[in-house]
Amino acid sequence: MTQQSIVQLRNVTKTIGGKTIINRVSFDVYGGEVFGFLGPNGAGKTTTIRMIVGLMKLTDGDVLIEGKSIKSDFEGAVKQVGAIVENPEMYKFLSGYKNLLHYARMYKGISREKIDEVVKLVGLENRINDKVKTYSLGMRQRLGIAQSLLHDPKVLILDEPTNGLDPAGIREIRDYIRRLARERGMAVIVSSHLLSEMEMMCDRIGIIQKGKLIDVQSMHDFVSTKGELFNLLVENPQEARTKVLEHNPSWTVEVLEQSLVINMTKEDIPALVRFCVASNIDVYGISPATKTLEDRFLEVTAEEGVASNG
Amino acid sequence: MVNLIRNEWMKIMHRPGTYVMAGLLILAVIGSTVITLFINSSGGTEDAAWQQQLQAENEQIKMTIETGENDFYVPSAEGALAINEYRLDNDIAPNDRDSMWTYLENISFLIAIVGLFAIITASGIVAGEFSWGTIKLLMIRPIARWKILLSKLLTVASFGIVFIGILIALSMLLGVIFFDGGSAVHLTYANGAVEEGNIVPYLLKIYLYNSIDVILLTMMAFMISAVFRNSSLAIGISLFLYFVGGSATAFIAAYYDWAKYSLFANTNLALYEMGMPVVEGMTMTFSVIMILIYLSLFIVLAFTVFTKRDIAA
């Protein structure tokens, strides 16, 4: 991964009618990575994205794209951005090709060959001359991506890119997004409420809540907590918990339905099994337990919610 | 800019509404032509001797001038009298209703239909992008917002020109086919003398005068479309004013002087030629200035609001 910062948000703030919607959000997105933008509904994801692409003006702060400010050099900055903001809304009465032609005309030097190339890339060759109103949501989504790649941008911003796609389509788009980041060194910013989707797609995530960026981490660090978690399926969890804590008081042991969730390392397993056998604890299974992004996300946003509510 | 206008035209040409409008305009031209021909053929006995008619008319005009009947505007009556006498002296027959020129002059009322369609187009051209949601993909291009808006304004202007073109071309064609050549001499009365001129510049002036309120209201629709991003509002307000603005202003003008500052008191420049301004004391210059003020007001409003406001739709 090339660690070159392509998108820089610096204290981005948006105030509407005296109410601060986005409060001093700063983060960087690097070339070659997929950056996931997460947050509950109304947290300010879309507002932030709209400010990055220049649809909304910044009250304070700045967005730099390849060093060019969206405020002072809109045309220079936005030239490097391809985006779908919310749904990929197209001119339904035009064919897919004419839609692409329409946007291609708004840049300098996009040839017909380039349009054909992009059409092929998203696999719409067979339907590109049909009117968009006959397209399925998945096809529109692909046309949206085609539209955002016409001018070979350095930055790709996709709001809910897998919205409305079937599982095969989701996978296809996900692989495709990852490939663009890897092969072309693009900085990709993705927002989604499908957390499992984000987990598979993103290298890093930023979590926004109530207009504040509360966490930016690599996906790996974010999902796995320190050490590892294992599930121990036992007959009587409450009783077993006390005994296990006697065995090693430094562990954190939680009861989850019929199992114990223990914070320990893989090397601890044989000793624990021997201990259980010796202490008459019936063990039905041991399996590694990772927290899902969903668990972590709810955890983090709940902490913040409590903190900010006082 | 050329590419942007091509884009706008591409969007216009791919919507059925455009063809419906063009079709209705063509139907309206053909319809009015048929009706004109029908009326002309139904009562055609009076065109025996135009000299006698003109003399009779002159007698009448003289009487009105002498008696000072009602509010009859004396200078225009004198003009009519002078022109009629000039015709008699120089043996220039007035164009009767079978002449192509009279037909072309009368059919200029169909500019109102072009105006209607121009208002509809102007109302949708910005607001449509908002209601389709395509505005978001349109405005993230490396093109300043004012350029996008300007391209849309120029597209509306060219749309109006194309439709006026259809109107003129079609009515000229029908005029040549179904009407007499008539006389292309146009007489004007100025400074106590009658002058001979060609009728074409006169017709162009009639078309231009008829277009002024259309242009202003189209600009207003465009402004509302850009400011409020709502095409129904733009169509509603503009068409409402288009249909009632003139008569409402005339009504107000009968009681209050300030009516002369309203848009509609100034759009009919032909009134000055006839010598009957909406409010006493208004001049052609005043009206032209008012028209320019209104036009710039609409343009400034449209461009400032459109370039400043966030796109949150």
Side-chain angles (χ1 to χ4, degrees):
Chain A
M1 186 191 292
T2 50
Q3 284 292 318
Q4 195 199 351
S5 167
I6 294 187
V7 182
Q8 296 168 294
L9 273 76
R10 294 285 171 263
N11 291 321
V12 170
T13 302
K14 179 74 185 177
T15 313
I16 298 175
K19 199 164 172 274
T20 306
I21 310 288
I22 303 293
N23 193 355
R24 301 173 67 80
V25 168
S26 299
F27 62 83
D28 283 39
V29 185
Y30 303 99
E33 76 167 346
V34 181
F35 183 88
F37 205 39
L38 276 179
N41 285 340
K45 290 188 302 266
T46 301
T47 306
T48 309
I49 285 179
R50 280 168 190 265
M51 286 195 282
I52 299 175
V53 296
L55 288 176
M56 287 179 133
K57 301 238 170 3
L58 286 75
T59 310
D60 201 10
D62 205 351
V63 174
L64 302 176
I65 291 156
E66 291 240 298
K68 293 191 173 112
S69 160
I70 197 89
K71 284 161 92 175
S72 55
D73 184 9
F74 170 75
E75 290 172 48
V78 93
K79 204 185 291 181
Q80 295 299 342
V81 178
I84 303 177
V85 182
E86 288 173 317
N87 304 316
E89 273 133 343
M90 297 288 170
Y91 300 103
K92 293 197 175 79
F93 48 86
L94 296 181
S95 68
Y97 189 84
K98 290 241 163 82
N99 266 286
L100 293 180
L101 184 65
H102 175 267
Y103 293 120
R105 281 179 183 156
M106 300 180 83
Y107 296 94
K108 284 197 184 73
I110 295 181
S111 61
R112 301 235 161 193
E113 291 75 46
K114 179 73 199 174
I115 300 179
D116 293 339
E117 182 197 314
V118 171
V119 169
K120 215 164 169 185
L121 207 69
V122 295
L124 276 177
E125 302 100 309
N126 295 331
R127 296 289 306 276
I128 198 66
N129 288 316
D130 294 352
K131 287 213 158 79
V132 171
K133 63 176 146 219
T134 66
Y135 283 18
S136 69
L137 193 51
M139 293 168 70
R140 281 179 207 184
Q141 198 69 257
R142 284 191 233 181
L143 188 62
I145 291 180
Q147 156 282 131
S148 68
L149 291 173
L150 278 172
H151 52 297
D152 287 320
K154 291 270 163 53
V155 183
L156 187 60
I157 297 172
L158 304 172
D159 211 355
E160 314 270 354
T162 54
N163 210 355
L165 295 184
D166 56 17
I170 291 179
R171 171 135 200 193
E172 193 185 336
I173 296 289
R174 185 208 308 146
D175 292 348
Y176 189 58
I177 288 172
R178 294 206 62 89
R179 218 170 70 221
L180 285 173
R182 289 291 123 68
E183 290 172 9
R184 300 195 185 186
M186 290 171 80
V188 184
I189 302 177
V190 179
S191 92
S192 176
H193 62 266
L194 290 174
L195 293 163
S196 56
E197 199 45 51
M198 295 288 267
E199 197 172 350
M200 285 185 271
M201 200 153 43
C202 304
D203 301 301
R204 283 197 309 145
I205 50 165
I207 295 184
I208 187 168
Q209 191 178 27
K210 292 184 182 155
K212 278 186 179 174
L213 192 70
I214 56 179
D215 206 357
V216 178
Q217 273 187 21
S218 85
M219 183 60 80
H220 183 262
D221 292 350
F222 186 75
V223 176
S224 57
T225 45
K226 295 201 176 54
E228 283 175 78
L229 287 177
F230 287 91
N231 274 329
L232 188 66
L233 196 59
V234 292
E235 179 67 44
N236 190 339
Q238 286 301 344
E239 198 189 312
R241 182 172 179 269
T242 358
K243 284 181 179 169
V244 168
L245 276 174
E246 276 167 28
H247 169 67
N248 189 337
S250 69
W251 286 344
T252 48
V253 183
E254 283 167 39
V255 176
L256 190 73
E257 288 161 17
Q258 273 302 300
S259 62
L260 298 180
V261 182
I262 307 172
N263 185 0
M264 61 182 187
T265 61
K266 202 167 98 190
E267 286 70 35
D268 294 325
I269 296 176
L272 177 67
V273 173
R274 277 193 291 275
F275 170 77
C276 291
V277 174
S279 339
N280 271 335
I281 301 173
D282 293 337
V283 176
Y284 296 97
I286 299 179
S287 59
T290 48
K291 287 205 172 176
T292 61
L293 177 60
E294 185 175 84
D295 297 333
R296 280 291 290 152
F297 174 75
L298 292 175
E299 229 173 82
V300 171
T301 51
E303 278 167 23
E304 274 303 304
V306 171
S308 58
N309 288 337
Chain B
M1 186 54 68
V2 176
N3 271 344
L4 293 179
I5 295 174
R6 279 169 72 196
N7 273 348
E8 293 307 322
W9 269 104
M10 179 168 80
K11 288 181 256 184
I12 286 180
M13 296 304 282
H14 279 83
R15 266 177 295 153
T18 311
Y19 298 95
V20 172
M21 290 194 277
L24 284 175
L25 178 64
I26 291 168
L27 273 181
V29 175
I30 295 173
S32 341
T33 309
V34 169
I35 292 171
T36 310
L37 286 170
F38 178 73
I39 293 175
N40 286 358
S41 67
S42 61
T45 48
E46 50 181 289
D47 44 342
W50 57 272
Q51 285 92 343
Q52 281 164 21
Q53 274 180 48
L54 284 190
Q55 271 159 359
E57 205 180 305
N58 279 356
E59 294 302 314
Q60 255 186 346
I61 296 175
K62 278 179 196 153
M63 258 169 57
T64 2
I65 294 176
E66 277 160 19
T67 51
E69 191 183 310
N70 291 338
D71 290 332
F72 202 84
Y73 189 67
V74 177
S76 76
E78 277 171 356
L81 191 62
I83 287 173
N84 284 350
E85 275 165 4
Y86 188 90
R87 286 191 188 284
L88 291 170
D89 293 347
N90 295 284
D91 199 29
I92 303 170
N95 278 321
D96 61 18
R97 55 190 193 186
D98 286 328
S99 119
M100 170 180 135
W101 305 109
T102 313
Y103 162 76
L104 281 179
E105 185 176 341
N106 290 339
I107 207 136
S108 68
F109 84 95
L110 286 179
I111 286 177
I113 293 190
V114 176
L116 176 75
F117 296 155
I119 286 172
I120 292 171
T121 308
S123 300
I125 200 159
V126 181
E129 303 275 358
F130 281 91
S131 58
W132 300 325
T134 45
I135 189 78
K136 291 173 289 189
L137 289 183
L138 191 67
M139 302 291 256
I140 55 170
R141 311 292 152 180
I143 293 170
R145 286 191 187 182
W146 68 267
K147 284 185 197 160
I148 290 179
L149 193 62
L150 181 62
S151 73
K152 287 183 176 290
L153 182 56
L154 293 177
T155 305
V156 172
S158 55
F159 176 88
I161 291 169
V162 167
F163 267 57
I164 293 268
I166 294 177
L167 169 64
I168 292 179
L170 183 63
S171 49
M172 272 170 68
L173 181 72
L174 293 175
V176 168
I177 297 175
F178 294 110
F179 293 86
D180 302 336
S183 139
V185 176
H186 180 68
L187 299 177
T188 47
Y189 177 77
N191 305 323
V194 175
E195 278 173 46
E196 252 180 72
N198 193 286
I199 199 161
V200 174
Y202 166 74
L203 281 180
L204 285 179
K205 198 171 67 182
I206 297 279
Y207 275 79
L208 178 71
Y209 282 175
N210 275 324
S211 306
I212 288 172
D213 56 344
V214 163
I215 293 171
L216 274 164
L217 280 165
T218 306
M219 192 59 224
M220 181 194 242
F222 184 80
M223 181 272 287
I224 297 173
S225 175
V227 170
F228 296 102
R229 300 157 178 202
N230 182 326
S231 59
S232 331
L233 192 70
I235 293 181
I237 294 182
S238 309
L239 285 189
F240 177 74
L241 290 178
Y242 191 31
F243 289 124
V244 308
S247 28
T249 305
F251 182 73
I252 296 170
Y255 298 96
Y256 304 102
D257 240 18
W258 51 258
K260 69 181 176 187
Y261 298 108
S262 101
L263 178 60
F264 303 97
N266 295 289
T267 49
N268 195 348
L269 295 182
L271 290 178
Y272 295 109
E273 302 233 323
M274 292 186 257
M276 20 194 241
V278 178
V279 174
E280 202 64 44
M282 285 170 72
T283 62
M284 176 86 100
T285 327
F286 173 82
S287 283
V288 170
I289 291 174
M290 286 309 293
I291 289 169
L292 292 178
I293 289 177
Y294 274 105
L295 263 186
S296 2
L297 177 75
F298 293 154
I299 290 174
V300 167
L301 263 178
F303 278 82
T304 39
V305 175
F306 186 75
T307 49
K308 291 260 152 47
R309 242 175 86 182
D310 284 342
I311 293 158

